[in-house]
């Protein structure tokens, strides 16, 4: 009888510990549904397209202003040759233009990197690749004080960015 009592007591004490110990279920992490995955791709693509559009807006605004700045620099150069102008003002204007173009190149570099490293944007990277190089070309031309050629290079960059948006819309 004593043996039966010890066996029942042991069974009674061990039973709850084994059932309580397994209350937590193991499961694999939930995979997103196809609809959720498609929504994520659409969201990332829209964000990428917005960044491309922003670059187009900033560049076109800058190119518009660049025309009048270039005319002003040319007129100031002519006045400086006749000892009528302020050469320091001309140098400051040139430096601002050069630094603005360098800023565009840096922004386009970041945009290319984002498209290259984001899986949802990689299909569009092929069209985008090289826009930073076009801005670098514009930067070199501005460094050589060829602002008209620099503006034309930036116009080519805007055209390539527009092509990217067309592809992203399809």
């Amino acid at each position: 009888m004593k043996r039966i009592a010890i066996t029942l007591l042991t069974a009674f004490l061990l039973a709850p510990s084994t059932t309580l110990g397994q209350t937590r279920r193991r499961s694999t992490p939930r995979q997103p549904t196809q609809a959720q995955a498609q929504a994520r791709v659409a969201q990332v693509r829209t964000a990428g397209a917005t960044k491309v559009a922003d670059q187009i807006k900033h560049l076109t605004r800058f190119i518009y202003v660049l025309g009048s700045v270039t005319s002003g620099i040319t007129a100031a150069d002519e006045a400086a040759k006749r000892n009528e102008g302020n050469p320091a003002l001309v140098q400051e204007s040139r430096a601002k233009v050069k630094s603005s173009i360098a800023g565009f190149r840096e922004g386009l570099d970041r945009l290319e990197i984002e498209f290259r490293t984001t899986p949802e944007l990689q299909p569009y990277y092929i069209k985008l690749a090289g826009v930073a190089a076009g801005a670098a070309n514009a930067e070199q031309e501005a460094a050589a004080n060829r602002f008209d050629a620099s503006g034309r290079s930036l116009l080519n960059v805007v055209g390539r960015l527009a092509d990217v948006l067309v592809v992203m819309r399809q």
Side-chain angles (χ1 to χ4, degrees), residues 14-120:
L14 290 178
S17 66
T18 58
T19 57
L20 290 176
Q22 295 183 9
T23 58
R24 193 171 151 182
R25 295 181 187 176
R26 292 188 183 197
S27 63
T28 58
R30 289 178 81 194
Q31 296 294 324
T33 65
Q34 187 172 358
Q36 290 171 330
Q38 287 175 345
R40 164 121 171 86
V41 168
Q43 183 182 18
V44 171
R45 189 173 67 199
T46 300
T50 301
K51 289 178 183 178
V52 170
D54 287 343
Q55 286 292 330
I56 290 172
K57 289 174 193 174
H58 296 308
L59 277 167
T60 53
R61 224 177 272 129
F62 176 76
I63 293 168
Y64 174 75
V65 172
L66 180 63
S68 64
V69 169
T70 301
S71 297
I73 289 173
T74 303
D77 276 342
E78 293 298 321
K81 288 178 184 175
R82 294 186 309 264
N83 292 328
E84 297 174 1
N86 184 354
L89 183 63
V90 173
Q91 293 303 326
E92 184 181 330
S93 295
R94 286 182 177 151
K96 284 182 182 178
V97 169
K98 292 172 187 178
S99 115
S100 296
I101 294 173
F104 284 120
R105 182 197 41 79
E106 291 167 3
L108 291 169
D109 275 335
R110 286 190 299 272
L111 188 66
E112 279 190 23
I113 290 168
E114 183 176 348
F115 270 64
R116 186 177 59 229
T117 58
T118 306
E120 295 87 355

